[in-house]
Amino acid sequence: MKTTCSLIKADIGGWPGHASVHPKLLQLAEKGLQNAVQTGLLTDFYVTHCGDDLELLMTHQKGEDNEEIHGLAWEIFTQGTKIAKDLGLYGAGQDLLKDAFSGNIRGMGPGIAEMEFTERKSEPLVAFMMDKTEPGAFNSPIYRMFADPFNTAGLVIDPSIHDGFIFEIWDIKEHKKVIMEAPQEMYDILALVGAKSRFVIKRVFPKKTNPKLTQDEPVAVISTEKLFQVAGEYVGKDDPAALVRAQSGLPALGEVLEAFSFPYLVSGWMRGSHNGPLMPVSQKDARCTRFDGPPRVIALGFQLHNGALTEPGDLFDDPAFDNVRRQAQKVTDYMRHHGPFEPHPLPMEEIEYTTLPSIMKKIGNRFKFMD
Ligand code: F6R
Ligand code: MG
Ligand code: MG
């Protein structure tokens, strides 16, 4: 049986500031998606938030890029924006860049991680959601899961994945994509995805030799909408989300999670303009507080069966990740001490907020050419 899983997210108003999502917005989304189950549009759903992003996980039989499914998400985000405005929530409707829905939510502001695939007998599915960072923040963990033998033991010792995986990588500046294979092209892949502000992993596919997966169907998908690219200026936030399938011909659940055992530096913290450690947290800690962060990631694990989702397991709500969090806290202190000095703020070309042009103007011809 084929199922489509659509994880669509947007920041339609923060509470308070850019910290979290107000319960009334979560209730509205629950109600809207529940109605869609009753009308038969959706098979199942789960509503949550990561920081100030409202996250709608939906399962259905309509395939990817479906107008009704995208329209449903858009409707919830626009209704939610009305509530956000009534409550005076912060930045109400900030990620909705267009006024009217025209068939597909892509390019309208919300982030989309969506994949259609044939369900295996048992289908573990993890929804990852991040706040205060950018789509490229998934590059390192996704690479580690599917290509790094020091992370995923199965790449070495499980015959079904020993041949590796296929990566679809997008160049978000040039609007191009390329398909690359690991392990054959590992170093080339790393040369691209290490430059995470430009090259982002969009999807992962199994190799043809993988006996346990259906060919040409994705095993992971990441939202890659860069709002800066969509709008041509800095508006809204492109905090990303991803869906990853696990086990039996794929990295085990624990290998998928192990990829988050190092709180590496990602960009997008405070004013979208700072680097900071990616901290894996439980759902209840998915609030961005200190210096509007630090950047956070949550992981909710489901079993998917005939399109139905079990209740989620809150996978980072676990002492096994305490040391990662402690390390992230230390790195938070360390990075904060840099204040306005790079590499805490992003380099000039990538910074979202800047006063530099007006300062240069003010200084004017006090800047003298040197001999
Ligand atoms: C980062 C983020 C926040 C805001 C910051 C300033 O992605 O959303 O750090 O950039 O709180 O927000 P404004 O300019 O709305 O006061
Ligand atoms: Mg916000
Ligand atoms: Mg956000």
Side-chain angles (χ1 to χ4, degrees):
M1 169 182 168
K2 273 201 180 195
T3 297
T4 309
C5 298
S6 305
L7 177 54
I8 306 187
K9 49 101 3 202
D11 177 349
I12 52 167
W15 166 72
H18 291 282
S20 188
V21 170
H22 193 279
K24 286 204 169 146
L25 299 187
L26 296 169
Q27 282 157 17
L28 170 97
E30 292 259 354
K31 217 166 121 205
L33 297 189
Q34 189 59 55
N35 286 343
V37 170
Q38 266 142 24
T39 64
L41 178 59
L42 294 185
T43 313
D44 208 347
F45 71 90
Y46 191 76
V47 170
T48 188
H49 75 98
C50 182
D52 57 5
D53 292 287
L54 177 60
E55 314 265 353
L56 313 177
L57 174 60
M58 301 173 279
T59 63
H60 53 92
Q61 304 297 310
K62 301 272 179 187
E64 293 172 25
D65 284 326
N66 179 269
E67 181 167 352
E68 284 177 90
I69 301 293
H70 285 207
L72 171 67
W74 184 258
E75 181 59 28
I76 287 172
F77 293 145
T78 46
Q79 282 178 17
T81 297
K82 283 192 199 120
I83 295 181
K85 283 185 176 154
D86 287 347
L87 292 172
L89 298 183
Y90 194 71
Q94 73 164 42
D95 283 358
L96 306 189
L97 306 184
K98 304 271 162 73
D99 291 330
F101 181 73
S102 57
N104 191 310
I105 206 165
R106 282 182 205 287
M108 300 187 75
I112 306 121
E114 187 170 55
M115 60 178 168
E116 184 184 34
F117 55 88
T118 309
E119 277 185 25
R120 294 166 295 164
K121 199 164 65 199
S122 181
E123 189 65 62
L125 177 76
V126 187
F128 288 102
M129 293 153 263
M130 295 182 180
D131 192 34
K132 304 298 180 262
T133 185
E134 55 165 5
F138 272 108
N139 281 6
S140 167
I142 294 286
Y143 176 86
R144 281 171 188 250
M145 286 172 211
F146 291 99
D148 180 0
F150 283 80
N151 181 88
T152 297
L155 294 169
V156 180
I157 61 175
D158 177 350
S160 65
I161 60 174
H162 188 65
D163 283 353
F165 287 92
I166 298 168
F167 289 76
E168 177 183 325
I169 299 166
W170 286 13
D171 175 341
I172 51 178
K173 294 225 164 95
E174 296 279 329
H175 300 280
K176 289 179 182 167
K177 62 180 180 181
V178 61
I179 302 288
M180 299 181 84
E181 296 200 12
Q184 293 86 336
E185 299 178 284
M186 264 170 82
Y187 299 159
D188 294 351
I189 292 173
L190 281 171
L192 298 183
V193 303
K196 62 184 171 39
S197 61
R198 172 158 176 183
F199 299 100
V200 294
I201 302 172
K202 177 66 189 175
R203 290 186 185 84
V204 181
F205 294 92
K207 288 268 176 77
K208 294 205 184 331
T209 48
N210 189 321
K212 297 187 173 163
L213 273 299
T214 308
Q215 276 177 27
D216 301 325
E217 288 185 353
V219 294
V221 63
I222 299 96
S223 72
T224 44
E225 285 66 30
K226 276 285 264 185
L227 296 192
F228 171 61
Q229 303 290 334
V230 173
E233 56 178 331
Y234 283 107
V235 282
K237 298 289 169 193
D238 34 47
D239 306 313
L243 291 170
V244 177
R245 300 164 64 195
Q247 304 283 159
S248 187
L250 290 172
L253 182 75
E255 290 167 334
V256 166
L257 298 175
E258 178 68 5
F260 293 87
S261 60
F262 171 61
Y264 90 119
L265 291 176
V266 295
S267 61
W269 191 7
M270 181 49 84
R271 299 177 184 277
S273 303
H274 290 78
N275 285 308
L278 182 62
M279 184 160 82
V281 293
S282 66
Q283 171 72 87
K284 77 172 170 17
D285 290 327
R287 292 169 294 124
C288 289
T289 52
R290 184 171 174 194
F291 201 57
D292 282 358
R296 290 175 201 222
V297 54
I298 61 170
L300 300 185
F302 302 85
Q303 287 294 140
L304 175 71
H305 192 55
N306 297 330
L309 297 163
T310 59
E311 53 279 269
D314 188 349
L315 298 169
F316 292 142
D317 183 15
D318 184 333
F321 283 93
D322 281 352
N323 274 346
V324 187
R325 288 188 273 270
R326 259 191 289 276
Q327 198 180 356
Q329 285 157 1
K330 279 189 185 154
V331 176
T332 294
D333 287 336
Y334 174 80
M335 293 302 282
R336 286 296 304 122
H337 278 124
H338 287 74
F341 287 85
E342 293 179 13
H344 188 23
L346 303 186
M348 253 160 50
E349 316 77 59
E350 282 178 42
I351 207 150
E352 185 177 331
Y353 285 62
T354 183
T355 45
L356 207 55
S358 69
I359 292 170
M360 293 305 278
K361 202 164 156 206
K362 195 168 67 186
I363 293 175
N365 58 13
R366 283 165 59 200
F367 256 119
K368 306 285 183 214
F369 283 105
M370 293 178 294
D371 301 331

